[in-house]
Amino acid sequence: MALTLLVTDRNLNILGAPLAGWTKLTCELNFNAPASGSVPLPAHPEYMALLQPGNRMVLIRDGSIWCAGPMEKPQTYTWDLDDNAGPGAVLVTWSDDLARVAGYLTYPEPAKAFTAQTTTTDVVRQITSTNAETVIRTLVDENCGPGALAARRIERLVLDDVAGVGSTVSVSTRFEPLLDACRTAAATDGLGFRTRQVGDQILFGVYAPVDRTATARFSAGLGNLRSVGFDLSAPLATSELVQGGNDPKQEASEGEPVPARVYLEVESGAAADWYRVEKLQDKTGTTDDSQGELTQAGTLALGDDNPHAGLSTVTVDTPALRAGVDYGLGDRVTVVLPTGLEVADVVQTIRLEATPDDGELVTTVVGNSDQTTTTATVRAVRDLARRLGRLEAR
């Protein structure tokens, strides 16, 4: 095991010597979501001077950066008499640099300051009929990357090399969480996006996960399956009824007629196996489907509402199959249940745990679990939040 902890400032300058004396370290990398890391340290004065707001934690594993990003709680300090009058302990939690990106909203007019935005409520940022990777890169670039207003740029953030992935999509967004807009653009092709520190730069890039179902297999017989749960439930919707256009009840302004409602149905085909279930999706403000936005809204909704084959799995690294080497976040892998059923699903989380005495343990969460926020209750809450967000943005 070779793990190194460094502290940098927001410009990636290394501050002080590597941190030592930690007793347990955990770090989770998540698919299309910020990472989460924590480590308890002795509260030496020189360490406390480094653990300050705005600084970053860098975890290096076997010579490569595993996770690097801002400290979310640089100091959670404790001391008691049983510490033998020592300095006490401090718990540090941090994320990767994708957490910085997650802190931004999509401006309708990203070249203007917030106070200079056009005051009409129908102004949105539209990126139409463009490669999905380009859409995601554009959203990040103009809101917090090199192309953003100076006050909104994330220090040292640049765009990674173009991967050339994704099909043609269209996105309309207005004061939406930036990562939500990125996930919308990524969903159709199942694309992934991430930040990674390379030298003195933070690279934001898009990638296409790989189908490794033939080579990345987990089972009790292979010794790399730690726990598994599986459930099958009915669809929440088989037909997404998407309504666009504007509300006919709305009064026309300046004598202009209000565009009529537009209706589009997107079906999953699951009704043939189950039964028909309808759900209404509101895309008010999108006047037609010429850019495919109404179809995209229905397709995205079906992603949540399709029949739920819930796979909750924790796997373990072995010499023959290692996370980050033989498969990565977003890749599809195969899990063989003890019943003999084989299920293919997506790698959602890669978790590293380490102690000085016991060494490293790398586990992987495949498919759905409470950790990946895909339970029906959580989906309902997130759907409500999205609906409220659309109302507030009008």
Side-chain angles (χ1 to χ4, degrees), residues 105-161:
L105 301 179
T106 57
Y107 280 17
E109 299 169 292
K112 297 180 180 179
F114 176 73
T115 53
Q117 298 289 308
T118 301
T119 56
T120 55
T121 59
D122 58 351
V123 174
V124 296
R125 177 66 174 109
Q126 291 184 310
I127 308 175
T128 59
S129 299
T130 306
N131 168 269
E133 178 186 9
T134 301
V135 171
I136 297 169
R137 289 167 60 92
T138 299
L139 287 169
V140 171
D141 181 40
E142 65 188 18
N143 284 286
C144 63
L149 295 171
R152 303 186 75 206
R153 292 175 197 156
I154 295 176
E155 298 86 356
R156 313 306 299 170
L157 179 68
V158 298
L159 298 180
D160 206 341
D161 294 338

Side-chain angles (χ1 to χ4, degrees), residues 33 36 54 70 98 107 114 121 124 134 139 156 167 173 193-194 200 204 237 247-248 250 264 311 351 375 389:
S36 175
L98 196 61
Y107 280 17
F114 176 73
T121 59
V124 296
T134 301
L139 287 169
R156 313 306 299 170
S167 57
T173 180
F193 49 83
R194 61 194 170 197
D200 62 352
F204 175 89
D247 190 344
Q250 180 183 345
L264 181 78
L311 179 66
R351 177 183 176 89
T375 64

Side-chain angles (χ1 to χ4, degrees), residues 115-253:
T115 53
Q117 298 289 308
T118 301
T119 56
T120 55
T121 59
D122 58 351
V123 174
V124 296
R125 177 66 174 109
Q126 291 184 310
I127 308 175
T128 59
S129 299
T130 306
N131 168 269
E133 178 186 9
T134 301
V135 171
I136 297 169
R137 289 167 60 92
T138 299
L139 287 169
V140 171
D141 181 40
E142 65 188 18
N143 284 286
C144 63
L149 295 171
R152 303 186 75 206
R153 292 175 197 156
I154 295 176
E155 298 86 356
R156 313 306 299 170
L157 179 68
V158 298
L159 298 180
D160 206 341
D161 294 338
V162 174
V165 296
S167 57
T168 299
V169 299
S170 297
V171 170
S172 296
T173 180
R174 183 177 188 273
F175 296 126
E176 179 184 10
L178 178 53
L179 284 195
D180 283 357
C182 291
R183 292 188 191 103
T184 297
T188 300
D189 302 299
L191 298 181
F193 49 83
R194 61 194 170 197
T195 57
R196 57 195 184 100
Q197 180 180 333
V198 178
D200 62 352
Q201 293 182 318
I202 300 168
L203 305 183
F204 175 89
V206 182
Y207 67 98
V210 180
D211 186 344
R212 302 188 188 276
T213 51
T215 58
R217 297 173 61 83
F218 301 90
S219 71
L222 292 172
N224 56 12
L225 185 60
R226 194 172 191 181
S227 65
V228 62
F230 179 75
D231 69 87
L232 183 64
S233 57
L236 299 177
T238 62
S239 294
E240 303 290 350
L241 309 179
V242 186
Q243 63 176 8
N246 287 320
D247 190 344
K249 296 179 182 179
Q250 180 183 345
E251 294 183 2
S253 60

Side-chain angles (χ1 to χ4, degrees), residues 261-322:
R261 279 292 194 192
V262 179
Y263 299 104
L264 181 78
E265 182 175 359
V266 180
E267 298 179 282
S268 68
D273 294 324
W274 294 86
Y275 36 76
R276 183 178 176 87
V277 184
E278 300 173 343
K279 183 179 283 189
L280 185 66
Q281 300 295 331
D282 183 21
K283 282 289 289 182
T284 296
T286 303
T287 56
D288 58 53
D289 197 41
S290 60
Q291 305 295 336
E293 291 185 78
L294 299 179
T295 299
Q296 184 183 38
T299 302
L300 289 173
L302 284 176
D304 285 338
D305 295 337
N306 273 330
H308 181 62
L311 179 66
S312 175
T313 301
V314 177
T315 70
V316 183
D317 254 16
T318 64
L321 191 60
R322 295 169 296 167

